[in-house]
Amino acid sequence: MAKGFGVKPEKQLGYILQLMPEVKAYAVRSNYNDFHEKTGEEFIGVTSMLKEAQVWKKKEQAKQSIEKYSDFLLEKVEAGSQVRVDIKQLKRSSDGKLIDELVESLFIVIDNS
């Protein structure tokens, strides 16, 4: 009996944070244990390579992780009027390419009034 025909479906890998959508900068995978052991601090980084982005299983986990980047984001807000952070769904296409699709955009704004 045949199992199916046609193209393999895209495989959902999880959710990622795009901290700077204008330059496609993502929250980087935080498996840098050496940094934590040497400094006692959590590694907070940014990458432009989708394959190095931190992946969360649930959208809410990704949203909660924005707090880790608060100092970085507040610096950007102070330099301008608002900052956008995109939560994206990360998928792998049937030919092995990584694809990111927008799920939700969050805006950080400082009201100077």
Side-chain angles (χ1 to χ4, degrees), residues 43-89:
F43 181 81
I44 302 297
V46 177
T47 183
S48 61
M49 297 176 64
L50 191 53
K51 68 180 182 178
E52 293 179 356
Q54 173 68 44
V55 180
W56 289 271
K57 295 286 183 194
K58 297 180 181 178
K59 183 176 94 169
E60 288 305 313
Q61 292 172 323
K63 193 181 279 191
Q64 290 171 353
S65 295
I66 293 172
E67 185 178 327
K68 294 179 184 179
Y69 296 88
S70 61
D71 290 340
F72 170 75
L73 295 170
L74 286 175
E75 285 179 25
K76 285 186 61 187
V77 170
E78 290 170 357
S81 58
Q82 75 177 16
V83 170
R84 185 178 99 216
V85 176
D86 290 339
I87 297 175
K88 294 189 161 193
Q89 189 175 46

Short mmCIF file of all heavy atoms in Angstrom, two decimals, residues 43-89:
data_model
loop_
_atom_site.label_atom_id
_atom_site.label_comp_id
_atom_site.label_asym_id
_atom_site.label_seq_id
_atom_site.Cartn_x
_atom_site.Cartn_y
_atom_site.Cartn_z
N PHE A 43 24.62 34.15 28.22
CA PHE A 43 25.05 34.71 26.94
C PHE A 43 23.86 35.29 26.20
O PHE A 43 22.85 34.62 26.01
CB PHE A 43 25.71 33.62 26.08
CG PHE A 43 26.19 34.14 24.75
CD1 PHE A 43 27.40 34.79 24.65
CD2 PHE A 43 25.42 33.99 23.61
CE1 PHE A 43 27.85 35.28 23.44
CE2 PHE A 43 25.86 34.47 22.39
CZ PHE A 43 27.08 35.12 22.31
N ILE A 44 23.97 36.54 25.81
CA ILE A 44 22.93 37.21 25.03
C ILE A 44 23.61 37.69 23.76
O ILE A 44 24.51 38.53 23.80
CB ILE A 44 22.34 38.43 25.79
CG1 ILE A 44 21.77 38.00 27.14
CG2 ILE A 44 21.31 39.14 24.95
CD1 ILE A 44 20.62 37.04 27.07
N GLY A 45 23.18 37.17 22.64
CA GLY A 45 23.82 37.53 21.39
C GLY A 45 22.84 37.66 20.25
O GLY A 45 21.67 37.31 20.36
N VAL A 46 23.36 38.17 19.14
CA VAL A 46 22.56 38.40 17.94
C VAL A 46 23.33 37.84 16.75
O VAL A 46 24.55 37.93 16.69
CB VAL A 46 22.32 39.92 17.76
CG1 VAL A 46 21.55 40.20 16.49
CG2 VAL A 46 21.59 40.50 18.95
N THR A 47 22.61 37.24 15.82
CA THR A 47 23.22 36.70 14.61
C THR A 47 22.39 37.08 13.39
O THR A 47 21.18 37.28 13.50
CB THR A 47 23.36 35.16 14.68
OG1 THR A 47 24.02 34.70 13.51
CG2 THR A 47 22.02 34.47 14.83
N SER A 48 23.05 37.15 12.26
CA SER A 48 22.32 37.39 11.01
C SER A 48 22.07 36.09 10.25
O SER A 48 21.45 36.09 9.21
CB SER A 48 23.10 38.37 10.12
OG SER A 48 24.36 37.82 9.80
N MET A 49 22.56 34.99 10.82
CA MET A 49 22.41 33.69 10.16
C MET A 49 21.24 32.92 10.77
O MET A 49 21.25 32.60 11.97
CB MET A 49 23.70 32.90 10.28
CG MET A 49 24.86 33.59 9.57
SD MET A 49 26.43 32.74 9.79
CE MET A 49 26.08 31.21 8.97
N LEU A 50 20.26 32.62 9.96
CA LEU A 50 19.05 31.94 10.42
C LEU A 50 19.36 30.59 11.07
O LEU A 50 18.74 30.21 12.05
CB LEU A 50 18.08 31.77 9.25
CG LEU A 50 16.67 31.33 9.54
CD1 LEU A 50 16.01 32.23 10.58
CD2 LEU A 50 15.85 31.32 8.27
N LYS A 51 20.37 29.89 10.56
CA LYS A 51 20.71 28.57 11.11
C LYS A 51 21.29 28.65 12.52
O LYS A 51 21.33 27.65 13.22
CB LYS A 51 21.66 27.83 10.18
CG LYS A 51 23.05 28.42 10.09
CD LYS A 51 23.91 27.62 9.15
CE LYS A 51 25.32 28.19 9.10
NZ LYS A 51 26.19 27.41 8.25
N GLU A 52 21.72 29.84 12.96
CA GLU A 52 22.28 30.01 14.31
C GLU A 52 21.27 30.59 15.29
O GLU A 52 21.60 30.82 16.44
CB GLU A 52 23.52 30.91 14.25
CG GLU A 52 24.68 30.28 13.51
CD GLU A 52 25.89 31.19 13.45
OE1 GLU A 52 25.81 32.35 13.92
OE2 GLU A 52 26.92 30.75 12.93
N ALA A 53 20.05 30.84 14.84
CA ALA A 53 19.04 31.46 15.70
C ALA A 53 18.58 30.50 16.79
O ALA A 53 18.49 29.29 16.59
CB ALA A 53 17.84 31.90 14.85
N GLN A 54 18.28 31.08 17.95
CA GLN A 54 17.71 30.32 19.06
C GLN A 54 16.29 29.92 18.69
O GLN A 54 15.53 30.74 18.21
CB GLN A 54 17.70 31.17 20.33
CG GLN A 54 16.97 30.54 21.51
CD GLN A 54 17.67 29.33 22.07
OE1 GLN A 54 18.88 29.33 22.24
NE2 GLN A 54 16.93 28.29 22.36
N VAL A 55 15.95 28.66 18.92
CA VAL A 55 14.62 28.15 18.59
C VAL A 55 13.91 27.75 19.88
O VAL A 55 14.45 27.01 20.69
CB VAL A 55 14.71 26.93 17.64
CG1 VAL A 55 13.31 26.42 17.30
CG2 VAL A 55 15.46 27.30 16.36
N TRP A 56 12.70 28.26 20.05
CA TRP A 56 11.85 27.89 21.17
C TRP A 56 10.72 27.03 20.65
O TRP A 56 10.21 27.24 19.55
CB TRP A 56 11.27 29.14 21.85
CG TRP A 56 12.30 29.92 22.61
CD1 TRP A 56 12.66 29.75 23.90
CD2 TRP A 56 13.08 31.02 22.12
NE1 TRP A 56 13.63 30.67 24.25
CE2 TRP A 56 13.91 31.45 23.18
CE3 TRP A 56 13.17 31.66 20.88
CZ2 TRP A 56 14.81 32.51 23.04
CZ3 TRP A 56 14.07 32.71 20.74
CH2 TRP A 56 14.87 33.12 21.81
N LYS A 57 10.28 26.06 21.43
CA LYS A 57 9.21 25.14 21.01
C LYS A 57 7.86 25.83 20.92
O LYS A 57 7.05 25.53 20.07
CB LYS A 57 9.11 23.95 21.97
CG LYS A 57 10.32 23.06 21.97
CD LYS A 57 10.36 22.23 20.72
CE LYS A 57 11.55 21.29 20.76
NZ LYS A 57 11.84 20.69 19.48
N LYS A 58 7.61 26.78 21.86
CA LYS A 58 6.31 27.45 21.91
C LYS A 58 6.47 28.95 21.71
O LYS A 58 7.49 29.54 22.11
CB LYS A 58 5.64 27.20 23.26
CG LYS A 58 5.35 25.74 23.52
CD LYS A 58 4.70 25.55 24.87
CE LYS A 58 4.44 24.07 25.13
NZ LYS A 58 3.86 23.85 26.45
N LYS A 59 5.45 29.56 21.12
CA LYS A 59 5.47 31.00 20.88
C LYS A 59 5.60 31.77 22.19
O LYS A 59 6.32 32.76 22.27
CB LYS A 59 4.21 31.42 20.13
CG LYS A 59 4.19 32.90 19.78
CD LYS A 59 2.98 33.26 18.96
CE LYS A 59 1.89 33.74 19.86
NZ LYS A 59 0.76 34.36 19.19
N GLU A 60 4.93 31.32 23.23
CA GLU A 60 4.97 32.01 24.53
C GLU A 60 6.38 31.99 25.11
O GLU A 60 6.80 32.95 25.76
CB GLU A 60 3.97 31.39 25.51
CG GLU A 60 2.53 31.71 25.19
CD GLU A 60 2.26 33.21 25.09
OE1 GLU A 60 2.69 33.98 25.97
OE2 GLU A 60 1.61 33.61 24.11
N GLN A 61 7.14 30.91 24.90
CA GLN A 61 8.52 30.85 25.37
C GLN A 61 9.37 31.91 24.67
O GLN A 61 10.19 32.57 25.30
CB GLN A 61 9.12 29.46 25.13
CG GLN A 61 8.51 28.38 25.97
CD GLN A 61 8.99 26.99 25.56
OE1 GLN A 61 9.17 26.71 24.37
NE2 GLN A 61 9.20 26.13 26.54
N ALA A 62 9.18 32.06 23.38
CA ALA A 62 9.91 33.07 22.62
C ALA A 62 9.55 34.47 23.12
O ALA A 62 10.42 35.31 23.32
CB ALA A 62 9.61 32.93 21.13
N LYS A 63 8.26 34.69 23.35
CA LYS A 63 7.80 36.01 23.81
C LYS A 63 8.40 36.34 25.18
O LYS A 63 8.85 37.46 25.41
CB LYS A 63 6.27 36.02 23.87
CG LYS A 63 5.68 37.41 24.03
CD LYS A 63 4.17 37.38 24.11
CE LYS A 63 3.56 37.27 22.74
NZ LYS A 63 2.10 37.49 22.75
N GLN A 64 8.43 35.37 26.08
CA GLN A 64 8.99 35.60 27.41
C GLN A 64 10.49 35.86 27.35
O GLN A 64 11.04 36.58 28.18
CB GLN A 64 8.71 34.40 28.31
CG GLN A 64 7.26 34.26 28.69
CD GLN A 64 6.96 32.95 29.41
OE1 GLN A 64 7.82 32.09 29.53
NE2 GLN A 64 5.73 32.81 29.88
N SER A 65 11.16 35.33 26.36
CA SER A 65 12.61 35.49 26.23
C SER A 65 13.01 36.89 25.79
O SER A 65 14.18 37.26 25.89
CB SER A 65 13.18 34.46 25.26
OG SER A 65 13.00 33.17 25.79
N ILE A 66 12.08 37.68 25.31
CA ILE A 66 12.39 39.05 24.92
C ILE A 66 12.97 39.82 26.10
O ILE A 66 13.83 40.68 25.93
CB ILE A 66 11.13 39.75 24.34
CG1 ILE A 66 10.74 39.10 23.02
CG2 ILE A 66 11.37 41.25 24.15
CD1 ILE A 66 9.42 39.57 22.46
N GLU A 67 12.53 39.48 27.30
CA GLU A 67 13.02 40.15 28.50
C GLU A 67 14.55 40.05 28.62
O GLU A 67 15.20 40.98 29.09
CB GLU A 67 12.35 39.55 29.74
CG GLU A 67 12.70 40.26 31.02
CD GLU A 67 11.98 39.67 32.21
OE1 GLU A 67 10.84 39.21 32.05
OE2 GLU A 67 12.57 39.68 33.29
N LYS A 68 15.13 38.94 28.18
CA LYS A 68 16.59 38.76 28.25
C LYS A 68 17.32 39.83 27.44
O LYS A 68 18.46 40.16 27.71
CB LYS A 68 16.98 37.38 27.71
CG LYS A 68 16.52 36.23 28.54
CD LYS A 68 16.95 34.93 27.89
CE LYS A 68 16.41 33.74 28.63
NZ LYS A 68 16.80 32.49 27.98
N TYR A 69 16.65 40.34 26.42
CA TYR A 69 17.26 41.31 25.52
C TYR A 69 16.84 42.74 25.84
O TYR A 69 17.05 43.64 25.04
CB TYR A 69 16.90 40.96 24.07
CG TYR A 69 17.46 39.63 23.66
CD1 TYR A 69 16.75 38.45 23.88
CD2 TYR A 69 18.72 39.53 23.08
CE1 TYR A 69 17.27 37.22 23.52
CE2 TYR A 69 19.26 38.31 22.73
CZ TYR A 69 18.52 37.16 22.96
OH TYR A 69 19.05 35.94 22.62
N SER A 70 16.27 42.97 27.01
CA SER A 70 15.69 44.27 27.35
C SER A 70 16.73 45.40 27.31
O SER A 70 16.44 46.47 26.79
CB SER A 70 14.98 44.23 28.70
OG SER A 70 15.90 43.88 29.72
N ASP A 71 17.93 45.19 27.85
CA ASP A 71 18.94 46.24 27.83
C ASP A 71 19.31 46.61 26.40
O ASP A 71 19.40 47.79 26.05
CB ASP A 71 20.20 45.82 28.59
CG ASP A 71 19.97 45.74 30.09
OD1 ASP A 71 19.00 46.35 30.58
OD2 ASP A 71 20.77 45.07 30.77
N PHE A 72 19.52 45.61 25.57
CA PHE A 72 19.85 45.82 24.17
C PHE A 72 18.74 46.59 23.46
O PHE A 72 18.99 47.56 22.73
CB PHE A 72 20.09 44.46 23.51
CG PHE A 72 20.22 44.50 22.03
CD1 PHE A 72 21.37 44.97 21.42
CD2 PHE A 72 19.19 44.06 21.21
CE1 PHE A 72 21.49 45.00 20.05
CE2 PHE A 72 19.29 44.08 19.83
CZ PHE A 72 20.45 44.56 19.26
N LEU A 73 17.49 46.18 23.69
CA LEU A 73 16.35 46.81 23.02
C LEU A 73 16.11 48.23 23.52
O LEU A 73 15.79 49.12 22.75
CB LEU A 73 15.10 45.96 23.19
CG LEU A 73 15.15 44.59 22.51
CD1 LEU A 73 13.97 43.72 22.92
CD2 LEU A 73 15.21 44.74 20.99
N LEU A 74 16.30 48.46 24.83
CA LEU A 74 16.11 49.81 25.37
C LEU A 74 17.13 50.78 24.81
O LEU A 74 16.82 51.95 24.58
CB LEU A 74 16.15 49.79 26.90
CG LEU A 74 14.91 49.20 27.56
CD1 LEU A 74 15.09 49.11 29.07
CD2 LEU A 74 13.67 50.00 27.22
N GLU A 75 18.35 50.34 24.57
CA GLU A 75 19.36 51.20 23.94
C GLU A 75 18.89 51.62 22.55
O GLU A 75 19.06 52.77 22.15
CB GLU A 75 20.70 50.47 23.83
CG GLU A 75 21.46 50.37 25.11
CD GLU A 75 22.76 49.61 24.97
OE1 GLU A 75 23.33 49.56 23.85
OE2 GLU A 75 23.23 49.07 25.98
N LYS A 76 18.31 50.68 21.82
CA LYS A 76 17.80 50.99 20.48
C LYS A 76 16.61 51.95 20.56
O LYS A 76 16.49 52.84 19.73
CB LYS A 76 17.38 49.71 19.76
CG LYS A 76 18.54 48.88 19.27
CD LYS A 76 18.06 47.72 18.46
CE LYS A 76 17.34 48.22 17.26
NZ LYS A 76 16.67 47.28 16.44
N VAL A 77 15.75 51.77 21.56
CA VAL A 77 14.58 52.63 21.70
C VAL A 77 15.03 54.06 22.01
O VAL A 77 14.50 55.02 21.46
CB VAL A 77 13.63 52.12 22.80
CG1 VAL A 77 12.55 53.14 23.13
CG2 VAL A 77 12.99 50.81 22.38
N GLU A 78 16.02 54.20 22.87
CA GLU A 78 16.50 55.53 23.24
C GLU A 78 17.13 56.24 22.04
O GLU A 78 17.08 57.46 21.94
CB GLU A 78 17.50 55.42 24.40
CG GLU A 78 16.82 55.03 25.69
CD GLU A 78 17.79 54.68 26.81
OE1 GLU A 78 19.02 54.68 26.58
OE2 GLU A 78 17.32 54.40 27.91
N ALA A 79 17.70 55.49 21.13
CA ALA A 79 18.30 56.08 19.93
C ALA A 79 17.24 56.50 18.92
O ALA A 79 17.47 57.37 18.09
CB ALA A 79 19.27 55.09 19.29
N GLY A 80 16.08 55.90 18.97
CA GLY A 80 14.98 56.22 18.04
C GLY A 80 13.69 56.34 18.81
O GLY A 80 13.67 56.46 20.01
N SER A 81 12.58 56.25 18.10
CA SER A 81 11.29 56.42 18.77
C SER A 81 10.60 55.09 19.10
O SER A 81 9.85 55.01 20.05
CB SER A 81 10.36 57.25 17.89
OG SER A 81 10.19 56.62 16.64
N GLN A 82 10.88 54.04 18.33
CA GLN A 82 10.28 52.74 18.61
C GLN A 82 11.14 51.63 18.06
O GLN A 82 11.96 51.84 17.17
CB GLN A 82 8.87 52.63 18.06
CG GLN A 82 8.78 52.45 16.56
CD GLN A 82 7.34 52.28 16.10
OE1 GLN A 82 6.40 52.57 16.82
NE2 GLN A 82 7.16 51.81 14.89
N VAL A 83 10.94 50.43 18.59
CA VAL A 83 11.66 49.24 18.14
C VAL A 83 10.64 48.15 17.89
O VAL A 83 9.69 48.00 18.66
CB VAL A 83 12.68 48.78 19.21
CG1 VAL A 83 13.27 47.43 18.87
CG2 VAL A 83 13.79 49.80 19.37
N ARG A 84 10.85 47.40 16.82
CA ARG A 84 9.96 46.28 16.51
C ARG A 84 10.74 44.99 16.69
O ARG A 84 11.87 44.85 16.25
CB ARG A 84 9.47 46.39 15.07
CG ARG A 84 8.45 45.31 14.71
CD ARG A 84 7.95 45.46 13.30
NE ARG A 84 8.67 44.53 12.45
CZ ARG A 84 9.04 44.77 11.20
NH1 ARG A 84 8.76 45.92 10.64
NH2 ARG A 84 9.68 43.87 10.51
N VAL A 85 10.10 44.02 17.36
CA VAL A 85 10.63 42.67 17.50
C VAL A 85 9.61 41.73 16.87
O VAL A 85 8.43 41.79 17.20
CB VAL A 85 10.85 42.29 18.99
CG1 VAL A 85 11.30 40.85 19.12
CG2 VAL A 85 11.85 43.23 19.64
N ASP A 86 10.09 40.88 15.97
CA ASP A 86 9.19 39.94 15.31
C ASP A 86 9.36 38.54 15.89
O ASP A 86 10.49 38.08 16.09
CB ASP A 86 9.48 39.87 13.80
CG ASP A 86 9.07 41.13 13.07
OD1 ASP A 86 8.24 41.90 13.59
OD2 ASP A 86 9.59 41.35 11.96
N ILE A 87 8.25 37.90 16.17
CA ILE A 87 8.27 36.48 16.52
C ILE A 87 7.91 35.75 15.24
O ILE A 87 6.89 36.05 14.60
CB ILE A 87 7.25 36.16 17.63
CG1 ILE A 87 7.62 36.91 18.91
CG2 ILE A 87 7.20 34.65 17.88
CD1 ILE A 87 6.62 36.76 20.03
N LYS A 88 8.78 34.83 14.86
CA LYS A 88 8.60 34.12 13.60
C LYS A 88 8.58 32.62 13.83
O LYS A 88 9.18 32.11 14.76
CB LYS A 88 9.72 34.48 12.62
CG LYS A 88 9.69 35.94 12.21
CD LYS A 88 10.66 36.19 11.11
CE LYS A 88 10.32 37.48 10.39
NZ LYS A 88 11.06 37.59 9.14
N GLN A 89 7.86 31.95 12.96
CA GLN A 89 7.83 30.50 12.98
C GLN A 89 8.95 30.02 12.06
O GLN A 89 9.09 30.50 10.94
CB GLN A 89 6.48 30.01 12.48
CG GLN A 89 6.25 28.55 12.66
CD GLN A 89 4.84 28.18 12.25
OE1 GLN A 89 4.34 28.59 11.22
NE2 GLN A 89 4.19 27.39 13.09
#
